[in-house]
């Protein structure tokens, strides 16, 4: 989304390139050219108004399904980080716009582990019985998977004994 925005909104009359830098903890996308005349930084950051630097390219991206709806890029980027501890940053200057996207942890889970993981919540701890009801296998397999997820620090244990619950 950030790269598509950079291409569609960049100032094509500026002799500079879009820059994409990848680091272990973030990705930075910098587009030459500032905001279009008449568009405030506040409007840009809220994602309420979009003025395409290149409407033809924007239409092509839309028709190729590379963007969903024109004018929703910033909101969609923010939404994708809604449950993340780190949020994207947007820096608007007179001659460039820089979007910094924190790298979210990518979990390496088997299909069964993913089912158990998806049955968990960040805010509401769930018992192994509740989790077992939400997945297509028995309590023994669910418990084994939960123990592995805890060992890999993907899941946190809350309580002890019969009151043991699990959360993300």
């Amino acid at each position: 989304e950030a790269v598509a925005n950079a291409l569609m909104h960049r100032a094509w009359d500026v002799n500079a390139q879009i820059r994409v830098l990848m680091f272990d903890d973030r990705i930075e996308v910098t587009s030459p050219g500032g905001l279009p005349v008449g568009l405030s930084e506040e409007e840009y950051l809220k994602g309420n108004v979009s003025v395409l630097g290149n409407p033809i390219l924007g239409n092509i991206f839309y028709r190729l399904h590379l963007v969903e709806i024109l004018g929703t890029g910033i909101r969609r980027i923010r939404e994708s980080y809604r449950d993340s501890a780190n949020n994207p940053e947007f820096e608007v200057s007179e001659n460039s716009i820089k979007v910094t996207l924190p790298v979210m942890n990518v979990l390496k889970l088997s299909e069964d582990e993913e089912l158990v993981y998806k049955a968990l919540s960040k805010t509401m701890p769930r018992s192994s019985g509740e989790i077992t009801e939400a997945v297509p296998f028995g309590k023994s397999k669910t418990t084994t998977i939960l123990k592995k997820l805890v060992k890999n620090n993907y899941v946190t244990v809350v309580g002890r004994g019969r009151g043991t619950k699990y959360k993300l």
Side-chain angles (χ1 to χ4, degrees), residues 6 11 18 22 27-30 32 35 77 80 86 112 126 148 164:
I18 293 171
M22 298 177 74
I27 298 169
E28 296 177 358
V29 179
T30 305
L35 294 175
I77 290 170
S80 66
N86 299 316
D112 291 348
R126 298 182 76 185
K148 184 175 179 185
T164 300

Side-chain angles (χ1 to χ4, degrees), residues 46-104:
K46 284 184 178 178
N48 294 335
V49 179
S50 178
V51 179
L52 288 175
N54 189 331
I56 294 170
L57 187 58
N59 189 27
I60 291 169
F61 276 35
Y62 175 72
R63 290 173 48 199
L64 291 173
H65 304 286
L66 297 173
V67 294
E68 282 191 19
I69 301 171
L70 296 174
T72 63
I74 300 301
R75 286 196 320 247
R76 289 169 37 85
I77 290 170
R78 287 185 191 273
E79 179 64 22
S80 66
Y81 283 86
R82 179 174 32 109
D83 295 328
S84 176
N86 299 316
N87 291 308
E89 295 176 10
F90 303 90
E91 294 177 39
V92 178
S93 69
E94 185 178 337
N95 298 310
S96 68
I97 296 175
K98 177 175 154 184
V99 179
T100 302
L101 305 169
V103 173
M104 294 192 275

